Amino acid sequence: MKIVEGIYYSKDHEWIKVEGNEASIGITDYAQHALGEIVYVEMPEVDDELNAGDVFGVIESVKAASDSYMPVSGKITGINEELEDSPELLNNSPYESWILKVEISDLSELDSLMDHEDYKAFCESESH
Amino acid sequence: MSNLKRTALFNAHGKHGGKIIDFSGWELPVQYEGITPEHEATRNKAGLFDVSHMGEVEVKGKDAFKFVQNLVTNDVSALEDNQVLYTFMCYEDGGVVDDLLVYRFNEEHFFLVINASNVDKDFDWMKKNSDGYDIDVVNISEALSQLAIQGPHAQEILQKLTDTDLTEIKFFYCKRNVNVAGASCLVSRTGYTGEDGFEIYLDHDNAEMVWEKLMEEGKDLGLRPVGLGARDTLRFEATLPLYGNELTKDITPLEAGLGFFVKLDTDDFIGKEALVKQKAEGLKRKIVGFEMLDKGIPRHGYEVWADGKEIGFVTTGYAAPTVKKNIGFAMVPIEYSKLGTPIEIKVRKRILKAQVVSKRFYTKNYKK
């Protein structure tokens, strides 16, 4: 299982890459493994305002639909339209395939997220 | 998962990378490598399934034929020895107790294969309705393992392990005491995928050995182990119903569109009166096929809408791997059942456009 350094992770297995006030959000390698083959991604609209913990989208595998949650609060500034036709990118390259971009409203929320080492330990505890 | 039952193949599933889930009280693999590759392997080459969770009931005795004919909706009198029949057991009101396969060994010996989740309910139903018949009804579900090998290469692979000429086993027939890799098996040309293939019943002691031999012999021909995930996408695409989805106590076989397996002109059977009446009065609702026009995947239980109101429900829905469309089955009022009728599916909060289409999503490849 791949875990990338220098980005944040949530307990719902989303990753967040922060640049200034803006962040890209995707799902982790652990999450895509657990979901299986991803066949559809339902995304929010640009300009939607969402709070940390809100459902921002639904990722559907062959077998089931799973909610994805906002790790931070903010306004959606972009969605990855490529995923509409090629949802399998989330399986093939989870860390290169962002799902949405968000303008973070409260940077202090990042403190409640995990770094790569904490996330690694978290995944190990989840698998047992 | 300590209270769950394990099949004799539990260790084999671990060895082949099976991802284990709780399925009707059994620890079984939902997938190995992935639902799509397993689905495609079964369509194009061959897939091996552990279906040991299925239940089996033996009916033996002088009145065996009479009992089974009264129990099920299809015409058992049309069966030859070693022929297999797909049919339903119904309640008096026409709702479905279960769907099952009836194997006729001879007039006094039948073998019924039922769904894992329904074993206790079915067995109670059979016992309850066996009064007055000179028969023994025995639940042998715990005694047997069952493998299914399905797909265009199924025969070639299985043939490597047996001297029995498999071409002699025709579609929906079986042969008993077939020697497969030294194990004595009941082999039938049946399955739940829409492909040619065989179901193999054998004792637990030989199950893992036969599984591994099949995997070994099938390797070069592309055989893969297949989990419950692809079992469901395969059966759905081939328009085969699932108990709990298309068939329930609240849906009659006629409403499910499976009237072919209900012979209303045979002797009495349980539920006949209700079904004759329903047919005479005309169906008020029916399960149809549909295809999504908007982007979105339908799932079991989603609401069906039309004309601004909820009109029905999705019984099964998928992004179907072989036909590559977002399709489903749905129960709708009869006035919405014509091909081409626009309907809507409520996918979470959104109402998405769909259209009634033929349920023949995929053309079955049976060797008849």
Side-chain angles (χ1 to χ4, degrees), chain B residues 350-363:
Chain B
R350 299 184 302 154
I351 301 275
L352 302 181
K353 287 198 188 83
Q355 162 178 289
V356 174
V357 299
S358 165
K359 283 197 284 186
R360 292 195 189 91
F361 301 127
Y362 174 77
T363 308

Side-chain angles (χ1 to χ4, degrees), chain A residues 33-37 39-43 55 57-67 81 84-85, chain B residues 19 30-31 33-37 228-229 232-233 295-297 299 302 317-319 321 326 347-348 350:
Chain A
H33 259 293
L35 288 166
E37 302 122 282
V39 291
Y40 185 68
V41 186
E42 189 179 292
M43 292 178 280
V55 172
V58 180
I59 300 185
E60 302 209 35
S61 63
V62 175
K63 197 72 198 154
S66 311
D67 289 337
E81 284 170 5
E84 285 175 0
D85 294 323
Chain B
K19 188 168 149 191
V30 61
Q31 63 172 64
E33 191 181 346
I35 292 173
T36 306
L228 295 162
D232 199 42
T233 53
K295 277 192 179 174
I297 300 169
R299 305 277 181 191
Y302 283 6
Y318 273 114
N326 295 341
V347 176
R348 294 176 289 279
R350 299 184 302 154

